[in-house]
Amino acid sequence: MSSVFPEYATEAARQVDHVQFFIFLVMAFWFIACNAVLVYFVFRYKRKGPDDKVSTVKGNHTLEVVWTVIPTILVLGIFYYGIKVWAGTRTMPDDKDAYVVDITGQKWSWSYRYPDGQTTDQDLYVPQGEVVKLRMNSLDVLHSFFIPEFRIKEDVVPSFYTYLWFKADRAGVYNIFCTEYCGNRHSQMLGKLHVLTPEEWAAFKAKDYFEVLTPLEHGKDLYVKKACVGCHTTDGSASIGPTFKGIIGRQETLTDGRTLTVDFDYIERSINKPDDEIVAGYPKGQMPAFEGQLTKQDIQDIYTFLETLK
Amino acid sequence: MSSTETQEYSPYLQPGGFKNWFFTVDHKRIGLMYLYAILFFFIIAGVCGLIVKAELLAPGMQFVDYHGYNVFFTLHGTIMVFLFIVPGIPATLGNFLLPLMIGAKDVAFPRLNLLSFWIYVLGAFVVILSLIGPWDEAWLDTGWTFYTPYSIDSSTGVIPVTLGAFILGFSSVLTGLNFVVTIHRMRAPGMTWHRMPLFVWSLYSASLIQILATPVVGITLLLLIMERLFGIGFFSPELGGDPIMFENFFWFYSHPVVYIMILPAMGVVAEILPVFSKKAIFGYRAIAYSSIAIALVSFFVWGHHLFVSGMSYWSRWIFSLLTFAVAIPTAIKVFNWIATLYKGSVKMDSPMLYACGFIFLFSIAGLTGIPLATLATDVHFHDTYFVVAHFHYTMQGGTVVALVGGLHFWWPKMYGRMYNELIAKVGFWLLFLGFNATFMPMFILGYWGMPRRYADYMAEFADLHFASSLGAMVNGIAYIVILGNLVYAAFKGRAAGKNPYNSLSLEWSIPSPPPLTNFDEIPTVTTWTYGYGEENT
């Protein structure tokens, strides 16, 4: 951040900044006016002695009317300007042409599903200069999807779909923050928005944008992007969940007293329905159930990755 | 009244002893007990806040882990709101001063007043129960707002804290009820509505909100407890409930409650300004009626907390407009306070320093509310540090500064002793400096998009976080100086006399500290409270 004013990356954001700048001028005027008069009075009418002559004025009707009417007109003006620009940021230009991405929030990761069936996690890819609509839903608690450079934000809730839209003018990478408190790793629920140039976008659509990953690389990628990394270390230290170091083939005792050897079946069951078989000493309700989100292939790749953590 | 000195006089502070205080029905003693209790929790919550700011000195995690951070910002908010600032000025200064200001021997229902205090103690005790149990599972981490469904899923102590807040609500309702009846029924002969001190008007407005809004949050928290215990399905989407309904219920109370906190603070300032300007308050009726106006409008603006919650287009539109309505009476108050100094005789003793500091800080608080009421800009600011800075300017820069100023102002009345003026001024400037250094950078951080309630942050936010955390430490030290000075004064300060500031208000017409019965005979009021410059030259 080189300047006090944050960068903007859409036309809508530029308009929001105009509103903000106008409000800032109003704020600065009233702040300086009020406090300058206050400070002036403090020095001008400083007590000189116990016999100071003071005014007996108790009020002034004209003044009361003036300083009621002026702020009223001013705030109505700001309200109107704010509503006008905001309406533009909420109303889709043309619904039919929008590129619709489905966004799912869960503790503590974002996943995206594109119209052609492609999916990505944490990193969202959109075309430059096209109207993009985000259709958002949560699998667990409240989250909020915030792109500071676009000046847009909307909560992601489990009970209904919410939406955002934007038209990104500049290619580049932008931050995505979760701004509704969602528990332990709320501050790590960070994504990146990649606005791709037409060439990059064509490659993305043709599924050539990413390098082809080996099962091991894919498994490791999922470990990071599905936010497993937040609770399961690979260095042997305990965290919110058991460490993945040496997990395959390890003897574990479950909360119900059973012991088992960690194998592919247990890994698969634990990814799909983690709360059913919790290792003793770890809390329930922390890990999202990934049933239906990961294919058998995905889980096999994660297993391949886990096997390497000796 | 002049006969008080010749009669046998025993100040209300004697006799001491646990039984004489804990079972007293005297409003002044109850006010002091509240004061000790809320200051205790203020210190606890303040330390939690400092732990949060210490962790934020640098990116990465240094002193606590993610859960620890979440616990401490939750404790900071929960204790500050429910145990400190909601009882705040009404329960302490209000209890002590209300009967004295209107010429009454006590509040309308003295035993109910004691019951309010006992309920407060019980509620505080239940909140503390949430700390029993393993730190990673029992200590609350939901934030003071208890948003569903997280508060339903969380393994931490949601039930003891919300049950405690539910109990504390009764204390608040009973105090409000007591004050409203007292103001209606207990005014001395001649103390008409328009002769009342403005502090009384502000207590009246705040009491109305306490009575009308508190039951809503009580029921809401009870529903949340039932949801957790029995899975009924009020707020859980998988059971057909609506988590957003909780937000609506919660803010239906928790926005008006902001005015329970700030209106009495405005009342304190309106008492200090005329005394130290030796001048009548400017626009008495405008200030009095704007308190009532703010109380009424406060019930219709809760939706601005839901501007990005998925609420409907037109709801956002309407709540934005309604929110701007609060700006008008607030602006009127500020203008009238400042005009009070016009052609006065202004002495900048520490209470006046606090009153003027209040106007300065509150003007920032009020003006930064404008971009949060404006839809286009709020979408960006929502749930960022900008909001955190804004409400700390109202709550600490406003309410706490007014409370501390009021404590300085009335300390000689409460204890009959004077604080050290120089240390009081040093304390003010430390607070002023530390506070601004803490929260001014947070406005900029919020503008840059720094989300609130983040245990960790990106490197580009590091410099301002560092500055803000250093400011917080100065802010903390300021309170040690301020409270140390006051506590010392209560024991060792020089005797203050009954009216050290030459105030015309009724509470200064009786000895300091006041006798247990306040007035030997109920005074008859013939003049306005603010007749400065008229009778005494």
Side-chain angles (χ1 to χ4, degrees), chain A residues 97-117:
Chain A
D97 295 338
Y99 186 79
V100 183
V101 183
D102 277 309
I103 296 186
T104 306
Q106 66 181 329
K107 291 188 269 184
W108 291 279
S109 67
W110 301 106
S111 44
Y112 314 101
R113 190 177 174 85
Y114 303 85
D116 62 358

Side-chain angles (χ1 to χ4, degrees), chain B residues 62 94 131 192 249 348 459 476:
Chain B
Q62 287 84 33
L131 302 180
T192 60
F249 281 175
M348 289 307 277

Side-chain angles (χ1 to χ4, degrees), chain B residues 384-405:
Chain B
T384 68
Y385 268 34
F386 193 93
V387 176
V388 180
H390 162 73
F391 70 69
H392 279 89
Y393 266 87
T394 62
M395 297 292 96
Q396 194 186 169
T399 305
V400 179
V401 163
L403 172 65
V404 176

Side-chain angles (χ1 to χ4, degrees), chain A:
Chain A
M1 297 290 162
S2 52
S3 128
V4 171
F5 300 100
E7 286 172 29
Y8 61 85
T10 61
E11 171 58 23
R14 198 176 66 89
Q15 286 179 21
V16 169
D17 283 6
H18 285 172
V19 181
Q20 179 53 45
F21 190 69
F22 173 65
I23 295 175
F24 180 77
L25 289 182
V26 173
M27 284 161 62
F29 171 79
W30 288 100
F31 171 73
I32 292 168
C34 287
N35 290 293
V37 172
L38 176 69
V39 171
Y40 172 73
F41 282 175
V42 164
F43 286 100
R44 171 70 181 76
Y45 303 113
K46 193 174 176 231
R47 184 169 303 178
K48 290 172 192 76
D51 302 325
D52 281 359
K53 279 266 175 292
V54 295
S55 155
T56 54
V57 62
K58 295 190 183 71
N60 184 311
H61 269 291
T62 319
L63 264 181
E64 297 290 346
V65 172
V66 167
W67 65 40
T68 305
V69 171
I70 291 177
T72 306
I73 294 170
L74 210 52
V75 295
L76 284 176
I78 295 173
F79 162 75
Y80 177 73
Y81 189 14
I83 280 291
K84 235 184 82 180
V85 169
W86 170 78
T89 66
R90 283 307 286 169
T91 318
M92 299 281 300
D94 188 349
D95 232 337
K96 288 187 203 91
D97 295 338
Y99 186 79
V100 183
V101 183
D102 277 309
I103 296 186
T104 306
Q106 66 181 329
K107 291 188 269 184
W108 291 279
S109 67
W110 301 106
S111 44
Y112 314 101
R113 190 177 174 85
Y114 303 85
D116 62 358
Q118 248 193 107
T119 59
T120 61
D121 297 301
Q122 303 294 43
D123 293 81
L124 171 61
Y125 299 86
V126 298
Q128 179 189 358
E130 279 184 44
V131 174
V132 175
K133 181 175 185 175
L134 308 177
R135 191 165 52 196
M136 310 189 293
N137 195 230
S138 167
L139 289 180
D140 41 44
V141 300
L142 302 179
H143 302 283
S144 193
F145 198 83
F146 177 33
I147 312 171
E149 275 89 351
F150 292 9
R151 312 283 186 271
I152 57 170
K153 178 187 291 130
E154 185 81 356
D155 284 3
V156 179
V157 300
S159 47
F160 53 89
Y161 286 93
T162 54
Y163 76 93
L164 285 171
W165 79 269
F166 59 81
K167 192 164 132 251
D169 302 323
R170 287 185 225 159
V173 184
Y174 305 98
N175 287 322
I176 295 166
F177 294 127
C178 174
T179 41
E180 188 63 82
Y181 174 70
C182 56
N184 196 293
R185 294 180 61 84
H186 168 54
S187 63
Q188 304 306 306
M189 194 163 165
L190 308 168
K192 290 280 179 209
L193 172 68
H194 302 256
V195 178
L196 304 184
T197 61
E199 302 79 58
E200 290 172 327
W201 183 244
F204 178 81
K205 296 252 283 198
K207 301 196 173 71
D208 291 340
Y209 187 72
F210 305 108
E211 290 169 44
V212 178
L213 299 177
T214 64
L216 174 59
E217 286 165 342
H218 184 228
K220 188 172 184 183
D221 191 51
L222 286 171
Y223 166 73
V224 175
K225 296 275 181 67
K226 289 292 179 190
C228 320
V229 59
C231 306
H232 301 281
T233 66
T234 55
D235 62 3
S237 60
S239 181
I240 297 166
T243 180
F244 279 168
K245 186 181 166 120
I247 187 162
I248 305 302
R250 191 161 71 204
Q251 290 277 330
E252 294 280 26
T253 309
L254 304 183
T255 42
D256 60 8
R258 280 188 299 135
T259 55
L260 54 71
T261 306
V262 177
D263 55 6
F264 179 80
D265 287 338
Y266 176 68
I267 293 292
E268 186 181 31
R269 293 200 303 275
S270 286
I271 288 174
N272 285 333
K273 290 179 174 174
D275 280 350
D276 287 1
E277 294 171 284
I278 295 269
V279 173
Y282 292 95
K284 262 192 183 188
Q286 291 296 321
M287 179 171 157
F290 286 92
E291 191 168 28
Q293 295 186 54
L294 292 173
T295 63
K296 189 116 184 159
Q297 184 70 59
D298 290 334
I299 295 171
Q300 277 168 357
D301 292 350
I302 291 172
Y303 183 82
T304 307
F305 168 63
L306 295 182
E307 272 189 318
T308 64
L309 303 169
K310 294 280 188 316

